[in-house]
Amino acid sequence: MSQHYYSQQPDARHDRRTIDTVLRGKSLRFTSDSGVFSKGDIDYGSRVLIETMDIPDGTSVLDVGCGYGPIGISAAYLAPKGHITMIDINSRAVELARENARNNGITNVTVLESDVLSAVKGRKFDVILTNPPIRAGKTVVHQIFEQAYEHLNEGGTLWVVIQKKQGAPSAVAKLESMFEDVEEVGKDKGYRIIKAQK
């Protein structure tokens, strides 16, 4: 079976690399590896989400499908008095996200291995962020949306980045069937940033 970045235990041979980048005006360094999403550089969709997302300080945040950590670590930097929980099914990504948080001096994060949102059962968050694993299929993406709704506090927001050609219209329709208020708050190079408020 071929390995995907949403495999639990990627067996691709290690090929660690360093990515130096600037996100929201902050210089950050990430280590990535084979077998994880967008190993060569920060995914463009993730960048658009990071530049658009609004993370009030003091909030509790969940990053679903965190990969090696750019979205969650940026959120932690934006909300130093908040706490960010980062989850991914991929054990290699989880280890990298922990390492990247540590190496960037970010202490207000917890990184957990999780199939969809199973590791945070019963917990609620003010903000949920996701660059969903489109290649895992629509069923998984919609499951993330449904579970995100259950894990949001009243008035909480879900931020999603999705490419127009990779199912943005059906994703928006799904979100509109569940959330009180859904709006497109940003777009760049075919990527749409959708904000859904509970």
Side-chain angles (χ1 to χ4, degrees):
M1 179 189 139
S2 78
Q3 292 282 315
H4 296 280
Y5 60 82
Y6 48 85
S7 300
Q8 191 167 5
Q9 300 282 350
D11 55 15
R13 186 173 297 185
H14 287 284
D15 178 24
R16 286 167 66 90
R17 56 188 68 193
T18 301
I19 300 164
D20 286 304
T21 192
V22 176
L23 298 171
R24 292 290 280 260
K26 169 104 169 145
S27 295
L28 295 165
R29 171 171 282 189
F30 294 95
T31 300
S32 84
D33 200 348
S34 53
V36 301
F37 176 63
S38 195
K39 70 170 184 185
D41 198 3
I42 310 298
D43 166 68
Y44 197 78
S46 295
R47 284 185 181 277
V48 179
L49 176 56
I50 290 163
E51 294 304 324
T52 311
M53 65 192 189
D54 178 27
I55 313 293
D57 201 3
T59 49
S60 60
V61 180
L62 178 66
D63 175 10
V64 180
C66 66
Y68 51 81
I71 296 170
I73 286 169
S74 298
Y77 165 67
L78 292 169
K81 292 181 185 144
H83 190 84
I84 287 68
T85 302
M86 299 159 63
I87 58 175
D88 202 296
I89 192 171
N90 182 322
S91 58
R92 189 175 289 183
V94 166
E95 286 307 316
L96 287 165
R98 286 178 182 147
E99 182 182 329
N100 287 327
R102 208 166 43 242
N103 291 345
N104 284 290
I106 302 289
T107 56
N108 57 328
V109 297
T110 304
V111 189
L112 304 169
E113 194 174 316
S114 181
D115 184 4
V116 198
L117 277 69
S118 60
V120 292
K121 201 171 179 180
R123 291 178 57 194
K124 300 265 188 182
F125 300 89
D126 302 313
V127 178
I128 297 181
L129 309 164
T130 189
N131 182 349
I134 299 301
R135 288 186 193 147
K138 189 186 280 190
T139 306
V140 172
V141 173
H142 286 187
Q143 196 181 5
I144 289 171
F145 295 165
E146 288 161 4
Q147 292 189 18
Y149 183 86
E150 295 299 321
H151 285 77
L152 273 174
N153 287 318
E154 284 303 320
T157 50
L158 169 65
W159 294 74
V160 180
V161 58
I162 198 158
Q163 264 185 303
K164 189 173 183 184
K165 65 178 191 230
Q166 289 187 325
S170 74
V172 170
K174 175 67 175 174
L175 291 168
E176 284 177 343
S177 74
M178 299 159 52
F179 284 86
E180 200 71 20
D181 183 23
V182 178
E183 59 176 321
E184 184 181 288
V185 290
K187 60 181 177 181
D188 191 358
K189 292 189 181 171
Y191 287 96
R192 301 284 189 266
I193 305 298
I194 313 298
K195 178 186 173 189
Q197 184 158 22
K198 185 169 177 177

